[in-house]
Amino acid sequence: MQKLLIKGKKELFGTISISGSKNATLPILAASILSNNGVKLANVPMVKDIFTMLELLKFIGIKIRIKKKQKVIELKNNNKKINTLAPYKLVKTMRAGVLVLGALLTKYKKAKVSLPGGCAIGTRPVDLHLFALKKLGAKIKIKDGYIIAEAKKGLVGSKIKFPSISVGATENALLAAFGAKGKTVLLNCAVEPEISDLISFLKKLGGKIIISGRKITIIGKNFGTKKTYHKIIFDRIEAGTYLIAGALIGKKLVLNKIDTKIIKSEIDTLKKMGVNITNNKNSLSILKTKKLKKINITTKPYPGFPTDLQAQLMVLMTQAQGISKIKENIFENRYMHVPELRRMGAKIEIKNKTAYIFGASRLTGAEVMATDLRASVSLVLAGLIADNRTMVNRIYHLDRGYEFLEKKLQTCKAEIKRI
Ligand code: EPZ
């Protein structure tokens, strides 16, 4: 099993180009089922979760061409030999597989999709996805671990108010509403930049979609017949991760290929902590930070501070003077990195949903275990500032979502290698 070995305390100096967003690409790949013509996606991150989704689409019957070097994926749905099934073996390794449900159901009037199981960060049910599909007229039952959905006469537009905000449920509902008859109004939606990217892709497919605050209106459409080209937006979580790396140990780190407006809440949070950031429109520079100040944050749906950066920010808080607080409001079990960070010398206590981080602590290298994607990268960040060597085990979690992580860090003078 591969591991990452990091020798800490090397200042970062250089430029990192941020990759395309994994969490934008996944629903857009599912949306390619809705097209009756070719789809070409550019700026696709070549990470494991994307390949798992492609395997699922191939199983469904979509023709796929991958141009790894160009970061391009071409897809074509000929509507021949379509399998409206997402099997357990593919959905269990990547929950986003459930996103094919809305697209298959609206286009082919039926779908059988494995229920994703629990996950290291929480139980993560899909009741909100099913709630929306039922409102659009689907008949749904759960049998043998599968969601079996049917809409014999096709889905019909409706007004749906989500009882709570969910990224995946908003995406599944959007995909389903695209092929539903008439108008659908979705209320209390997630409005993450990845959802805006999905909407801009669906518009290119011919959908009429209006977004206003947390309200999204979709006028049902026959399936996309135009050839569609789309460039995936940048990965704001990857950008935030390197922003924190720069704040921890940057001499001068430049991040490019980003849109700084989209990560305003992250930049503002770090500036409040005393991080020295200068931002242009499409790039950021992080200069050496002298003294970090404590801060309190709560994770929230966009535009709030993202749960996907909570573990990374916690590492930065270990270096700030005083007691910082994080309230994790999205997932019930997203503190799996805490015991590992404690083993490296961090002083962190958890009471209910809140983590108290007592800083500043001197971290020391250790052999640690990755538990999920963002927890893993937080251990890499801790390794960059720790004394001696840190060995991060189970880095397959990292490979699910970070493109060329160690190469990008090596370019900026970090001592990190895969063994
Ligand atoms: C997306 O997951 C992301 N995944 C996650 O990124 C991210 O952490 C999360 O949104 C929140 O921002 C992808 O985009 C592929 P949710 P998703 O539905 O859609 C509860 C990463 O590290 N909920 O917004 O699954 C749920 O349990 C990953 O890249 C229900 O109760 O998240 C959670 O508490 C991890 N019922 C909350 O809502 C439902 O039917 C928000 O989850 C759906 C969700």
Side-chain angles (χ1 to χ4, degrees):
M1 216 181 268
Q2 295 188 337
K3 301 166 183 208
L4 279 180
L5 183 64
I6 305 154
K7 185 158 184 268
K9 297 243 181 291
K10 301 275 168 190
E11 280 189 327
L12 301 177
F13 184 84
T15 301
I16 294 180
S17 287
I18 300 302
S19 299
S21 160
K22 159 183 86 81
N23 289 348
T25 309
L26 290 168
I28 289 175
L29 284 173
S32 69
I33 294 173
L34 299 172
S35 168
N36 285 335
N37 209 324
V39 167
K40 182 173 175 176
L41 302 177
N43 200 31
V44 176
M46 295 292 155
V47 295
K48 185 75 178 56
D49 275 6
I50 301 301
F51 291 110
T52 309
M53 187 60 128
L54 290 174
E55 215 182 309
L56 174 57
L57 292 178
K58 214 165 128 192
F59 177 88
I60 287 170
I62 312 292
K63 301 277 169 271
I64 294 164
R65 213 165 140 206
I66 304 171
K67 296 178 175 167
K68 257 192 181 175
K69 275 202 182 135
Q70 290 108 302
K71 299 184 188 293
V72 163
I73 294 180
E74 293 169 350
L75 306 108
K76 191 154 190 187
N77 183 357
N78 294 326
N79 293 309
K80 283 186 196 142
K81 292 194 188 152
I82 292 295
N83 221 335
T84 53
L85 169 71
Y88 176 64
K89 72 170 195 300
L90 293 172
V91 181
K92 79 163 192 245
T93 53
M94 194 207 42
R95 304 176 50 84
V98 79
L99 294 175
V100 300
L101 177 61
L104 287 174
L105 179 62
T106 205
K107 192 163 182 185
Y108 302 105
K109 302 187 172 52
K110 60 175 187 161
K112 182 174 171 187
V113 174
S114 172
L115 260 178
C119 155
I121 61 177
T123 48
R124 304 183 75 184
V126 290
D127 55 318
L128 298 171
H129 300 231
L130 305 188
F131 160 81
L133 297 177
K134 282 182 191 160
K135 291 263 184 193
L136 293 170
K139 297 265 171 295
I140 296 182
K141 58 181 183 188
I142 306 291
K143 197 165 172 261
D144 307 326
Y146 278 82
I147 305 161
I148 300 172
E150 206 178 54
K152 280 195 178 130
K153 292 186 182 155
L155 295 176
V156 181
S158 178
K159 187 169 176 179
I160 304 169
K161 183 170 183 193
F162 289 106
S164 61
I165 296 172
S166 157
V167 173
T170 303
E171 291 167 344
N172 237 332
L174 267 167
L175 298 180
F178 183 91
K181 206 165 143 196
K183 179 162 110 175
T184 297
V185 180
L186 303 175
L187 300 164
N188 201 26
C189 291
V191 290
E192 267 59 7
E194 295 74 29
I195 289 179
S196 308
D197 208 34
L198 172 63
I199 291 176
S200 80
F201 175 77
L202 290 174
K203 282 184 175 169
K204 289 178 189 170
L205 277 189
K208 194 166 171 214
I209 305 172
I210 303 151
I211 178 158
S212 153
R214 292 201 180 273
K215 174 177 169 187
I216 305 177
T217 307
I218 308 119
I219 311 291
K221 174 74 200 153
N222 285 332
F223 300 101
T225 48
K226 291 188 213 153
K227 274 197 173 168
T228 309
Y229 170 83
H230 185 75
K231 185 174 174 202
I232 304 289
I233 51 159
F234 78 102
D235 191 321
R236 67 192 165 99
I237 306 300
E238 190 200 22
T241 302
Y242 290 120
L243 190 53
I244 292 172
L248 282 165
I249 192 153
K251 189 170 173 192
K252 184 176 181 191
L253 195 60
V254 178
L255 307 184
N256 62 24
K257 298 199 182 166
I258 60 176
D259 177 349
T260 51
K261 283 195 303 298
I262 288 180
I263 51 170
K264 189 176 177 310
S265 116
E266 292 85 328
I267 294 172
D268 289 349
T269 302
L270 295 200
K271 280 188 174 168
K272 274 188 208 147
M273 291 183 79
V275 180
N276 195 348
I277 304 174
T278 42
N279 42 325
N280 305 314
K281 194 164 165 272
N282 300 117
S283 73
L284 272 179
S285 304
I286 310 121
L287 297 171
K288 201 173 175 117
T289 302
K290 292 199 181 83
K291 200 170 168 213
L292 285 167
K293 290 180 269 193
K294 65 177 180 162
I295 195 168
N296 299 336
I297 63 125
T298 300
T299 60
K300 289 185 185 144
Y302 192 83
F305 193 87
T307 173
D308 290 348
L309 273 179
Q310 177 257 106
Q312 300 89 312
L313 187 73
M314 190 181 284
V315 177
L316 189 62
M317 287 169 161
T318 68
Q319 302 308 300
Q321 292 297 329
I323 308 170
S324 295
K325 278 191 241 171
I326 296 181
K327 186 170 179 200
E328 172 53 63
N329 244 348
I330 307 289
F331 291 109
E332 69 273 21
N333 194 28
R334 212 172 196 182
Y335 285 136
M336 303 278 279
H337 43 287
V338 170
E340 298 303 285
L341 292 176
R342 280 193 194 127
R343 293 183 54 246
M344 296 179 73
K347 294 183 185 67
I348 304 167
E349 276 174 25
I350 297 169
K351 282 191 197 129
N352 303 318
K353 285 179 170 184
T354 305
Y356 298 81
I357 301 100
F358 300 82
S361 307
R362 187 164 182 150
L363 301 189
T364 50
E367 189 162 347
V368 287
M369 185 97 85
T371 47
D372 73 83
L373 178 59
R374 312 301 171 187
S376 323
V377 88
S378 78
L379 301 176
V380 173
L381 294 177
L384 292 176
I385 53 165
D387 293 331
N388 309 322
R389 283 165 198 275
T390 297
M391 175 104 84
V392 185
N393 289 288
R394 297 199 181 164
I395 55 165
Y396 52 83
H397 290 292
L398 274 175
D399 295 331
R400 290 184 59 175
Y402 283 91
E403 191 178 44
F404 309 132
L405 176 92
E406 69 270 24
K407 287 200 186 108
K408 288 186 181 186
L409 286 170
Q410 280 159 3
T411 317
C412 298
K413 317 264 185 278
E415 252 191 76
I416 176 167
K417 65 178 177 193
R418 190 178 282 255
I419 50 173

